Amino acid sequence: MNFYKELFNNVKLKKGFGVELNIAGVVGVGKSSLSAILEEKGYVIYREPVFDNPLLDKFYFNKERFAFPLQIFFLNKRFQMIKDATKMDKSVLDRSILEDTIFAKMLRDRGEMVPEEYDIYIELFYNMLEHVKSPRLMVYLRVQPEEAIRRINLRGRDYEVENDTSYWHQLNDNYEEYFKHYDWSPLLTIDVDNIDFVNKEEDKEFVLRQIFKKLSVLYPHLYRYNASDNSVFRLDTKFDDNIQKIM
């Protein structure tokens, strides 16, 4: 059976929701940038643990040695973030806990994580997932690998730039296959190859409106979208009479 089809067959949906939004996509697509934009709108952001990560640099220069501890590090940190984020209103997670399996699978397939390590990882993953609820909305930022590589080179992190380009193509293929089978939560896919939502105001508004319009359709008791002026309002769940204008 296809790995990702089996993954979602094994994922059990739970009543209720965890975080408000998950931002998904390959390395370099702009997840952190979109999270920062949402933070300006009053959302609470839980960022991917890459800057205070004692293993990431080591991993890129010795993958066989550090693949397993790095994946356990990410899984543990992500699980802690989810526990914290579910207590917050309007929380956003930069990459989901399910996406971690994409990287673990690739490491196994490339021989950089031995089968015994992978089996331990996947068992721990499923044990943790029993305590995780799906997000209200998964936002998949889709980009072609050539554009992702261009953005990776532009931001210039040494451990990413020195990776061979075949890795980024394989990562993109895995993400496409993953989201072909995705059914853990409502999903919004936005193609961002020709969109610069960091530097162009009209592109930023386009991406945000795609997200908020989708949320207003899915959760009209929480989000209200006014088509006449493209304004967006959200009900504060802690105070029923408090409606916040987001855009």
Side-chain angles (χ1 to χ4, degrees):
M1 182 183 290
N2 176 281
F3 174 86
Y4 298 115
K5 183 177 182 180
E6 183 178 7
L7 170 68
F8 289 110
N9 282 345
N10 291 334
V11 171
K12 297 179 176 65
L13 294 177
K14 297 174 179 59
K15 291 183 179 180
F17 298 97
V19 300
E20 188 97 342
L21 292 168
N22 260 153
I23 309 298
V26 299
V27 176
V29 72
K31 297 182 300 298
S32 298
S33 297
L34 179 56
S35 296
I37 292 169
L38 288 165
E39 189 171 33
E40 295 173 357
K41 300 295 181 182
Y43 286 78
V44 180
I45 310 301
Y46 290 84
R47 292 177 170 82
E48 190 172 20
V50 294
F51 294 111
D52 295 324
N53 188 323
L55 298 171
L56 195 57
D57 283 351
K58 295 181 177 69
F59 162 75
Y60 275 103
F61 291 102
N62 190 346
K63 292 183 178 180
E64 291 82 1
R65 167 64 181 84
F66 291 102
F68 179 67
L70 178 67
Q71 290 305 118
I72 295 297
F73 177 90
F74 276 125
L75 191 63
N76 181 52
K77 293 294 184 181
R78 199 97 59 198
F79 186 59
Q80 182 62 58
M81 287 180 184
I82 290 170
K83 290 195 296 181
D84 294 341
T86 53
K87 302 172 187 176
M88 304 295 295
D89 197 29
K90 297 166 63 179
S91 56
V92 177
L93 198 64
D94 179 348
R95 183 168 279 136
S96 73
I97 194 168
L98 264 69
E99 281 174 85
D100 282 342
T101 62
I102 297 175
F103 295 88
K105 172 188 176 294
M106 287 182 61
L107 290 166
R108 181 200 64 183
D109 292 349
R110 291 164 65 97
E112 293 162 347
M113 184 187 291
V114 300
E116 294 81 2
E117 292 174 330
Y118 175 79
D119 289 343
I120 292 171
Y121 168 86
I122 208 70
E123 181 179 3
L124 179 59
F125 165 77
Y126 279 119
N127 284 337
M128 288 182 169
L129 206 62
E130 291 181 4
H131 307 281
V132 176
K133 295 178 180 179
S134 58
R136 291 190 188 276
L137 180 64
M138 177 69 69
V139 179
Y140 173 35
L141 301 178
R142 175 191 275 156
V143 68
Q144 292 301 309
E146 293 78 13
E147 175 61 16
I149 292 168
R150 186 190 71 81
R151 297 180 187 187
I152 288 167
N153 289 332
L154 190 63
R155 73 182 180 188
R157 295 176 186 167
D158 290 341
Y159 56 80
E160 293 176 347
V161 171
E162 294 182 12
N163 232 348
D164 62 282
T165 58
S166 65
Y167 175 83
W168 304 121
H169 283 269
Q170 290 173 18
L171 182 62
N172 184 78
D173 291 343
N174 274 270
Y175 261 85
E176 287 295 293
E177 189 66 22
Y178 171 92
F179 276 107
K180 185 169 75 174
H181 297 283
Y182 182 89
D183 63 359
W184 190 42
S185 72
L187 171 66
L188 172 66
T189 300
I190 305 176
D191 292 311
V192 296
D193 277 301
N194 300 309
I195 293 177
D196 183 359
F197 55 80
V198 176
N199 299 304
K200 294 183 179 179
E201 190 66 26
E202 62 270 25
D203 288 347
K204 179 171 74 172
E205 290 193 5
F206 169 79
V207 170
L208 289 177
R209 292 197 195 288
Q210 292 291 310
I211 294 170
F212 293 134
K213 284 173 70 175
K214 183 74 171 182
L215 286 167
S216 69
V217 171
L218 292 169
Y219 311 104
H221 62 293
L222 278 180
Y223 287 88
R224 299 175 189 175
Y225 173 71
N226 189 338
S228 62
D229 62 358
N230 286 320
S231 59
V232 180
F233 297 85
R234 188 189 186 280
L235 177 68
D236 189 329
T237 56
K238 295 179 181 178
F239 305 97
D240 291 341
D241 59 346
N242 185 8
I243 297 178
Q244 305 167 331
K245 185 175 182 180
I246 298 175
M247 292 185 70

